[in-house]
Amino acid sequence: MKVYLSVDMEGVTGLTDPEEMHAGGRGYERGCELMTADANAVIEAAFLRGAEAVVVNDAHSSTKNLRVDLIDPRCTLIRGPYKPMRMGQGLDASFDAACFVGYHACAGTPNGVLNHTWMGKEIQNVWINGEISGETRLVAGYAGSLGVPVVLVTGDEAVCEEARALLGDVETVAVKKGIDKFSAELVPPARAQEMIGEATLRALDRRADFRPYTIEAPYTLAVEWNSTAIAASCANIPGVRLAGPRHTEFTTEDYGDIMALFGIFSMIAGTVACSSGVYG
């Protein structure tokens, strides 16, 4: 059995503050330790259930957040920026199960801790084939295009609700309950990581119950940006069309193109926003 982990940070046990999400911020180093501990809870359970290989993808921001010195030595770790498939890097059809750890709800979700979709202020909304999509749907769609089912999602209560609405009876672990975007009622780390391990065991025990989440091709990705400048810049990418002052659209038969395009979008949007000061 091969198990794949995509590990984000906003939904990690104990974290609520934007400062904790970025290198140099207050609490970031401790946040990396907590992120690694959540991942390790899944890895340990996977090997307890007989996994032959566990591949972990650091899927947050710089993708250099998981502590290499603290990660379970039995796994392999994918880290570093500019990975072609970003949050789905390393995933292929050979995996039996995918787990999403530390995920968060899509942009605009009430009481979703650190809710956003792919970027922070730059992206207002994302749709795939006309359906609003957060990162859970985006990455689950990629896994499904490869025939890999998502069996576990951990994060706050809001993303767990989002995952169940999307994926059905998927195992979920809510490690915090959002009060607002930047505050939450937390499950202490020791108990939260125990819950994550228990849920992973349950998920892998019944992995035959899960089916890949599939979106019918062709795939149309629509993005509502916060800026006309970002939309216009992204529309210069071949195949991307301007569908409104702040909207872009892109259609493809290959879901991998969606994942790759988001990486390019992020670089362009980040550059425009960062060079625009208060207007970004």
Side-chain angles (χ1 to χ4, degrees):
M1 177 175 63
K2 288 183 67 178
V3 178
Y4 177 83
L5 275 66
S6 176
V7 188
D8 205 353
M9 197 169 188
E10 288 86 358
V12 161
T13 297
L15 304 185
T16 61
D17 189 338
E19 289 274 337
E20 296 166 331
M21 301 297 117
H22 301 288
R26 180 183 61 254
Y28 170 73
E29 295 299 333
R30 178 56 178 151
C32 292
E33 294 174 2
L34 290 166
M35 181 182 182
T36 307
D38 280 9
N40 279 343
V42 179
I43 298 165
E44 180 179 10
F47 280 110
L48 280 173
R49 283 298 181 264
E52 298 167 357
V54 176
V55 176
V56 181
N57 179 33
D58 188 326
H60 175 72
S61 189
S62 70
T63 69
K64 297 183 290 184
N65 312 283
L66 288 167
R67 286 281 299 272
V68 179
D69 57 329
L70 298 178
I71 198 79
D72 190 307
R74 294 169 291 180
C75 77
T76 56
L77 172 63
I78 300 170
R79 74 189 299 269
Y82 313 122
K83 298 175 292 191
M85 295 294 106
R86 304 298 167 127
M87 295 186 77
Q89 186 65 41
L91 185 58
D92 60 37
S94 69
F95 286 91
D96 299 285
C99 302
F100 297 168
V101 181
Y103 268 49
H104 55 83
C106 70
T109 302
N111 299 332
V113 181
L114 298 166
N115 69 82
H116 66 280
T117 301
W118 207 270
M119 301 188 75
K121 64 181 182 299
E122 294 87 356
I123 291 178
Q124 299 298 305
N125 284 296
V126 171
W127 297 264
I128 296 181
N129 289 5
E131 184 173 335
I132 199 80
S133 299
E135 290 167 30
T136 300
R137 185 169 189 252
L138 288 166
V139 187
Y142 180 52
S145 74
L146 298 168
V148 181
V150 177
V151 303
L152 173 75
V153 177
T154 80
D156 70 340
E157 281 193 357
V159 78
C160 290
E161 292 173 5
E162 185 177 314
R164 289 190 296 270
L166 179 72
L167 304 172
D169 191 25
V170 64
E171 290 288 343
T172 61
V173 181
V175 300
K176 48 194 163 188
K177 178 180 180 180
I179 297 170
D180 202 341
K181 187 170 185 176
F182 304 118
S183 57
E185 181 179 352
L186 307 173
V187 178
R191 175 56 187 150
Q193 288 145 20
E194 182 181 355
M195 291 162 57
I196 290 170
E198 292 169 350
T200 305
L201 294 175
R202 291 194 300 271
L204 296 178
D205 281 344
R206 63 183 192 91
R207 67 182 186 277
D209 295 342
F210 300 103
R211 296 291 179 270
Y213 174 74
T214 56
I215 301 171
E216 186 176 351
Y219 312 106
T220 295
L221 170 68
V223 180
E224 178 190 8
W225 302 95
N226 78 331
S227 164
T228 56
I230 293 175
S233 296
C234 289
N236 288 314
I237 302 169
V240 178
R241 57 192 174 274
L242 200 60
R246 294 185 295 111
H247 288 70
T248 56
E249 288 189 357
F250 173 78
T251 301
T252 179
E253 295 285 339
D254 182 350
Y255 200 99
D257 293 342
I258 301 288
M259 302 298 290
L261 184 62
F262 257 118
I264 301 169
F265 276 172
S266 297
M267 287 188 284
I268 293 173
T271 299
V272 174
C274 288
S275 63
S276 302
V278 296
Y279 299 101

